[in-house]
Amino acid sequence: MTFLERYQQEDTWHGRAMIMEIYHLAMRARTTKWTIEKTASHFEVSIGLVSENLRLAHALHIHPDLVKVETRQDALKRVK
């Protein structure tokens, strides 16, 4: 299963954020010129969504209880 397929099948906002983060970081490790724009293109989403998901994934590492927040929008409000 590809990252894109896994992302599309994931039901939770936090699962999607983590899948995107893992992919983005792995590609940056492989290619120093990897960008958020390339991640957005791979997942067929906006650059803004990638940026928000990376911010949420980072916050989840620091505050694991954030996973209990029901919606992505509520989680974004908490990490600002």
Side-chain angles (χ1 to χ4, degrees):
M1 179 178 298
T2 67
F3 276 96
L4 178 58
E5 291 167 336
R6 181 71 181 113
Y7 178 82
Q8 291 171 334
Q9 291 180 3
E10 177 57 46
D11 292 334
T12 66
W13 66 265
H14 46 84
R16 284 181 158 220
M18 296 302 289
I19 291 165
M20 191 173 284
E21 180 197 44
I22 292 166
Y23 176 81
H24 181 73
L25 294 176
M27 294 308 291
R28 280 190 55 203
R30 292 178 70 191
T31 308
T32 57
K33 295 184 182 201
W34 193 261
T35 63
I36 288 175
E37 291 86 355
K38 290 178 181 178
T39 298
S41 176
H42 177 79
F43 285 98
E44 302 172 347
V45 298
S46 70
I47 294 166
L49 180 63
V50 174
S51 178
E52 288 176 350
N53 276 346
L54 294 177
R55 189 167 12 126
L56 286 170
H58 178 74
L60 283 164
H61 294 295
I62 298 166
H63 307 286
D65 286 350
L66 194 58
V67 74
K68 296 177 185 174
V69 176
E70 282 208 33
T71 69
R72 185 177 168 284
Q73 293 304 319
D74 287 341
L76 282 168
K77 290 175 188 173
R78 291 191 185 194
V79 299
K80 286 190 176 186

